[in-house]
Amino acid sequence: MKKIKLLCFDLDDTLWLSRPVIEQAEQVFYNYLSDITPELTKRFSPESLRAHRAEYLSRHPELEHQISQWRTASLTEALALSGYQSQSANLARQAFEVFLEARQKITLFPHCEDVIGRLSENYILISLTNGNADLSRQAVGKYFSANYQAEHVKAAKPSPELFLKALEIADCQADEAIHIGDHVIDDVSGAKALGLLAIQACLKPDSPLPHALADDHFHDWRDLPDKIQRLTSR
Ligand SMILES: [Mg+2]
């Protein structure tokens, strides 16, 4: 086996717990809308605005992996339906910025930053997310050589595009890389299909059982360096 050069990391539910982040960002987003565009929040509750967003995607399936554009475009339509026709695109863009800012307020899992810092001394680190978290806005981002979102490559994991981007940037082969992520399909199956090794992050209280395809898994960030070491030297 070749030496491992690259570690790819998923973000949501791998570096931090995603649900409280999204819930908080949705709340900030809706509060902002109720201040700035009260006619919209009279017409749409948080739930019905979410339902409208889902329904918008069914009419625009091409936006499935363009989640920022999807949120902005569906809000533009909801604003127009609420009587803000002429300013709808501008208002939607501003509200999206508020959401995006709030969405970056993450709390790393215990010991994550220490471990990432140590791993960065020996490996190239690249983050690969289907979401719109921006690691370059986080202190831990300084340890990463690059950060890619599905929107950058117009395809989400488990499709190969994000993994291939990381291999290209790190200038290495699939068998010189380990992908670390929580999702059994997007992360584990996606990485394994391309020939990367995969370590499953089982850090959520309701994490699925480790997948048979995963080369290893971890429940505590402090255990990750040993798991990587074992795969590197086998
Ligand atoms: Mg994830």
Side-chain angles (χ1 to χ4, degrees):
M1 156 166 255
K2 290 186 191 168
K3 185 174 162 33
I4 298 298
K5 293 182 188 166
L6 166 67
L7 302 179
C8 307
F9 285 90
D10 169 56
L11 295 178
D12 289 320
D13 293 325
T14 298
L15 266 64
W16 55 77
L17 201 56
S18 122
R19 194 170 158 180
V21 176
I22 300 297
E23 282 177 355
Q24 177 268 146
E26 289 278 7
Q27 184 72 55
V28 169
F29 178 65
Y30 192 80
N31 290 350
Y32 174 83
L33 289 169
S34 66
D35 284 346
I36 304 298
T37 56
E39 295 307 317
L40 174 107
T41 49
K42 264 186 227 162
R43 180 173 179 139
F44 292 96
S45 67
E47 294 71 30
S48 66
L49 193 58
R50 255 196 301 278
H52 172 266
R53 198 157 62 236
E55 186 271 327
Y56 187 90
L57 184 64
S58 68
R59 285 184 279 124
H60 299 275
E62 73 280 3
L63 294 179
E64 188 183 357
H65 304 312
Q66 304 287 309
I67 56 172
S68 301
Q69 211 184 317
W70 165 25
R71 181 177 285 267
T72 311
S74 65
L75 181 61
T76 301
E77 184 181 85
L79 284 162
L81 290 169
S82 309
Y84 297 96
Q85 287 89 344
S86 62
Q87 316 125 283
S88 60
N90 256 340
L91 289 166
R93 254 194 310 276
Q94 286 162 23
F96 176 72
E97 283 307 316
V98 169
F99 171 82
L100 200 60
E101 181 75 29
R103 200 248 187 273
Q104 312 308 324
K105 292 193 174 33
I106 52 100
T107 303
L108 293 172
F109 282 119
H111 313 291
C112 170
E113 186 155 5
D114 284 353
V115 170
I116 291 275
R118 276 161 47 209
L119 292 172
S120 73
E121 293 167 12
N122 296 310
Y123 303 97
I124 299 167
L125 310 187
I126 295 181
S127 76
L128 304 177
T129 180
N130 286 352
N132 46 16
D134 180 359
L135 206 60
S136 68
R137 297 201 199 187
Q138 307 296 338
V140 73
K142 65 177 177 283
Y143 298 116
F144 285 76
S145 302
N147 305 296
Y148 291 104
Q149 302 173 356
E151 295 185 278
H152 297 146
V153 298
K154 297 189 166 50
K157 298 172 286 182
S159 287
E161 287 83 347
L162 277 172
F163 299 109
L164 291 173
K165 190 78 190 163
L167 295 175
E168 178 197 328
I169 296 299
D171 190 23
C172 71
Q173 304 296 313
D175 61 358
E176 297 172 308
I178 303 176
H179 179 66
I180 295 125
D182 68 290
H183 200 281
V184 293
I185 306 292
D186 298 349
D187 294 307
V188 176
S189 302
K192 294 298 290 181
L194 272 185
L196 284 78
L197 292 163
I199 299 181
Q200 187 176 338
C202 303
L203 301 162
K204 287 193 294 186
D206 56 345
S207 285
L209 291 170
H211 193 274
L213 270 179
D215 295 287
D216 211 333
H217 65 277
F218 65 110
H219 298 280
D220 183 314
W221 265 85
R222 285 171 296 188
D223 298 334
L224 184 60
D226 279 350
K227 310 261 178 182
I228 291 169
Q229 187 57 41
R230 230 171 284 156
L231 291 179
T232 301
S233 54
R234 83 179 176 183

